[in-house]
Amino acid sequence: MSDDTVSIRDFFRFDLCGKRVLSFLTAKDALSFARTSKENKDASCLSILDPVKLHDGTVPWYGSYATGDNKYRWKEIHMPVTSHTHSVQFSCIWKDQGSGDRKGRLYIAGSCKSKGSFRDDDVVCCTHSDAEHEYQPLRLRFVPEEGKRYFVWYKV
């Protein structure tokens, strides 16, 4: 038998392999893996960045019956780092306006362009159901790509 052994550190030294392994894990699991030992922490190069606030307080969004199915761009998500980023989590508390049908939705779309209309092909994550009439927590996760800008879109 050979005396050659391969450690986790050796495995993660090759960024391509390390990124591939961690990409199969959720952000929570990847961070849990990194915390299992100092060697794994150093090798995986994972950390949690400070949250980027898009807005403080309540944001009222309005639409009319005639434009209820249109999507509107709200804000860009400014990320300090996109290369070597495992994932991004968008969190908020949201609700529908409380009267009539529920049809509020949120979308996060990535594009190389800073302007333009909504395209379904650009959506990286979205709500899978309409907003409830009572406040509910919402978490959307996506993996950013280098060179893309990400925007929050809404439909009311």
Side-chain angles (χ1 to χ4, degrees):
M1 220 165 172
S2 157
D3 195 21
D4 294 332
T5 58
V6 178
S7 69
I8 294 288
R9 176 178 291 231
D10 294 331
F11 189 68
F12 279 112
R13 257 194 211 126
F14 299 100
D15 187 46
L16 184 61
C17 294
K19 237 184 150 172
R20 279 203 179 135
V21 169
L22 293 176
S23 71
F24 288 101
L25 302 176
T26 64
K28 182 179 177 181
D29 289 342
L31 288 168
S32 293
F33 171 79
R35 285 189 284 235
T36 58
S37 73
K38 182 176 179 356
E39 185 175 51
N40 289 351
K41 182 179 187 240
D42 293 343
S44 63
C45 300
L46 291 175
S47 64
I48 298 175
L49 300 175
D50 291 332
V52 175
K53 274 196 172 204
L54 295 182
H55 188 80
D56 281 323
T58 303
V59 180
W61 290 325
Y62 301 100
S64 69
Y65 178 76
T67 62
D69 289 332
N70 292 341
K71 283 116 180 154
Y72 301 95
R73 188 166 76 184
W74 177 52
K75 281 196 175 185
E76 181 173 0
I77 301 172
H78 294 282
M79 290 180 276
V81 178
T82 55
S83 65
H84 305 295
T85 299
H86 180 277
S87 56
V88 173
Q89 177 175 288
F90 174 85
S91 302
C92 67
I93 296 176
W94 74 317
K95 74 172 189 143
D96 199 63
Q97 82 276 7
S99 62
D101 295 332
R102 295 181 308 116
K103 58 182 180 177
R105 295 271 179 131
L106 285 178
Y107 307 85
I108 296 179
S111 175
C112 296
K113 303 173 187 175
S114 62
K115 295 185 179 184
S117 58
F118 182 87
R119 290 177 10 123
D120 286 328
D121 290 344
D122 292 337
V123 174
V124 293
C125 60
C126 65
T127 55
H128 295 290
S129 60
D130 296 330
E132 298 290 336
H133 284 168
E134 301 297 323
Y135 281 108
Q136 301 285 322
L138 172 68
R139 284 192 180 99
L140 299 174
R141 292 178 185 90
F142 64 97
V143 177
E145 294 179 33
E146 248 183 289
K148 285 195 175 181
R149 298 171 73 176
Y150 294 89
F151 301 89
V152 178
W153 292 75
Y154 67 92
K155 177 183 84 156
V156 293

